[in-house]
Amino acid sequence: MSIAFLMALSFVACGKTAVVEPEVETPQVESPQVETPGESEVATTYVERDDWDAFVKTNVNAFMDMYGHGSNNYDENSYVVFDFDNTCSIFDIEEQLAVYQLQQMAFVFTPEDAEKILLTELGDAQMLRGTDYSEVDSSYNDWVTDITAAYSYLYDTYGPFTAKGLDDEAVIKVQADPQWIEFATKMRAMYDLVYDSESASVAYPWVLYWFTGMTEEEVYDLALASHNYYGAVETSEVTWSTSLEGSKVGAVEYTWTSGTGVPENIKELWAALQANGIEVWVCSASGIDPIRAAIDAFGLHEYCTGAIAMSRVLEDGKYVNAY
């Protein structure tokens, strides 16, 4: 991951016209010491880690000098807004959570509701061509047919499932079943197919409908478990593939990234901004509960003023498949 800062700094020099006045002797009076606000009363906090790029570090600290609460330019309403996925975090926390949810079978909707949930806001039988996930042209309906069939089998055999997911022993057992790799591979690949085929207003919320039937805190707890687990592994690529006989879509192979986290530079930057009186906000296209959990899991909570992110409709305290 690379972090780049582009700062446009504008300087204006103001000249004064010299006016010659007649010399008049006046008593020498010692001028009172006037302190410029912020110069001595408030210390500026800088980023100090050695692993900053030198240019970035210099300009970040120049920003703190110019706009922190030790500067004459300081505004008490100052704030900075960060994107989160692939910006503050290594990789996308929502995409990592999608994999974790599949691995743990952390779903609460029934097989009878699966088709309706997976087709939310999608075009009817839209053809998906030119992808890397299947050589067979197929409609959304074919994907959902395969996914629902596998999910029904898994639900009847190993379910009912819960928002927390299966225990370790059950996870090993279910993942050894060919129906699980059929379900997990096609469910995850379908998200990319939707993303490639639909507008952002349709594609971004689609993966959040997987939380249908859960409460806010259940989604938060699930996301926290995902962040803690994948924050402790080395980043790598993992490939899933399925070739279950008789499926509508056929063989599908999908490669996903394993491992996420927040670099120490970002933690130091957020801490420095807050120490200099500048609020830190997050604005994300991930779900609000996974973002809240990421801020907590990666040690950013005390530096973050607030977060604005995507959410779904709650009915009786539980999420439904509506943005």
Side-chain angles (χ1 to χ4, degrees):
M1 184 183 76
S2 61
I3 304 172
F5 289 84
L6 180 60
M7 297 187 175
L9 309 179
S10 178
F11 298 92
V12 179
C14 298
K16 292 185 179 180
T17 303
V19 179
V20 179
E21 298 287 352
E23 292 187 6
V24 178
E25 289 188 8
T26 57
Q28 296 297 315
V29 179
E30 185 176 349
S31 300
Q33 295 295 317
V34 179
E35 292 185 350
T36 301
E39 285 187 346
S40 62
E41 296 177 1
V42 181
T44 299
T45 299
Y46 301 104
V47 297
E48 299 178 345
R49 291 181 58 84
D50 293 335
D51 50 0
W52 283 98
D53 175 85
F55 175 82
V56 174
K57 184 176 183 178
T58 297
N59 284 280
V60 166
N61 287 333
F63 177 88
M64 303 300 182
D65 279 330
M66 292 179 66
Y67 298 109
H69 60 183
S71 167
N72 289 332
N73 298 315
Y74 176 67
D75 185 325
E76 64 181 9
N77 296 313
S78 297
Y79 62 92
V80 173
V81 181
F82 289 87
D83 178 42
F84 200 85
D85 298 300
N86 292 307
T87 306
C88 293
S89 66
I90 297 171
F91 190 46
D92 186 306
I93 58 131
E94 188 75 60
E95 292 188 11
Q96 192 73 92
L97 173 56
V99 166
Y100 185 81
Q101 192 175 0
L102 292 167
Q103 291 173 318
Q104 301 298 315
M105 292 304 295
F107 300 93
V108 299
F109 56 79
T110 65
E112 292 72 27
D113 291 330
E115 180 177 348
K116 177 180 66 177
I117 291 167
L118 296 179
L119 287 174
T120 301
E121 299 295 329
L122 302 185
D124 291 336
Q126 178 172 343
M127 302 302 288
L128 302 172
R129 295 184 173 87
T131 72
D132 296 326
Y133 312 115
S134 174
E135 295 180 358
V136 181
D137 286 341
S138 178
S139 71
Y140 286 136
N141 291 336
D142 287 345
W143 282 84
V144 172
T145 296
D146 286 356
I147 292 169
T148 302
Y151 184 69
S152 296
Y153 167 86
L154 295 170
Y155 192 92
D156 293 341
T157 306
Y158 305 101
F161 303 124
T162 69
K164 188 176 180 180
L166 301 172
D167 61 35
D168 292 344
E169 184 177 346
V171 165
I172 294 172
K173 188 175 181 180
V174 74
Q175 289 188 15
D177 194 313
Q179 291 282 358
W180 176 82
I181 198 67
E182 167 81 355
F183 169 70
T185 304
K186 290 184 177 177
M187 188 82 153
R188 183 61 189 84
M190 186 176 172
Y191 178 34
D192 277 22
L193 294 173
V194 170
Y195 184 87
D196 290 341
S197 303
E198 301 287 349
S199 67
S201 63
V202 173
Y204 281 18
W206 186 82
V207 72
L208 305 182
Y209 302 146
W210 296 12
F211 304 135
T212 295
M214 298 185 191
T215 66
E216 293 173 279
E217 287 311 300
E218 285 175 334
V219 177
Y220 172 91
D221 290 342
L222 178 64
L224 190 65
S226 173
H227 303 333
N228 286 333
Y229 178 82
Y230 279 107
V233 303
E234 292 291 331
T235 303
S236 62
E237 286 192 342
V238 178
T239 298
W240 287 343
S241 59
T242 180
S243 57
L244 203 64
E245 295 291 334
S247 67
K248 291 279 190 178
V249 176
V252 172
E253 183 174 280
Y254 185 79
T255 299
W256 52 275
T257 302
S258 172
T260 187
V262 171
E264 292 300 318
N265 304 72
I266 294 295
K267 298 177 187 178
E268 183 184 41
L269 176 59
W270 284 28
L273 287 164
Q274 189 207 57
N276 288 315
I278 301 171
E279 292 184 356
V280 174
W281 285 79
V282 171
C283 184
S284 176
S286 284
I288 185 61
D289 304 319
I291 288 294
R292 288 194 300 124
I295 290 169
D296 291 344
F298 300 127
L300 298 167
H301 183 88
E302 63 180 297
Y303 312 124
C304 185
T305 305
I308 301 168
M310 298 179 70
S311 189
R312 285 79 64 215
V313 175
L314 284 165
E315 292 183 1
D316 298 324
K318 295 181 179 180
Y319 286 122
V320 298
N321 53 312
Y323 177 60

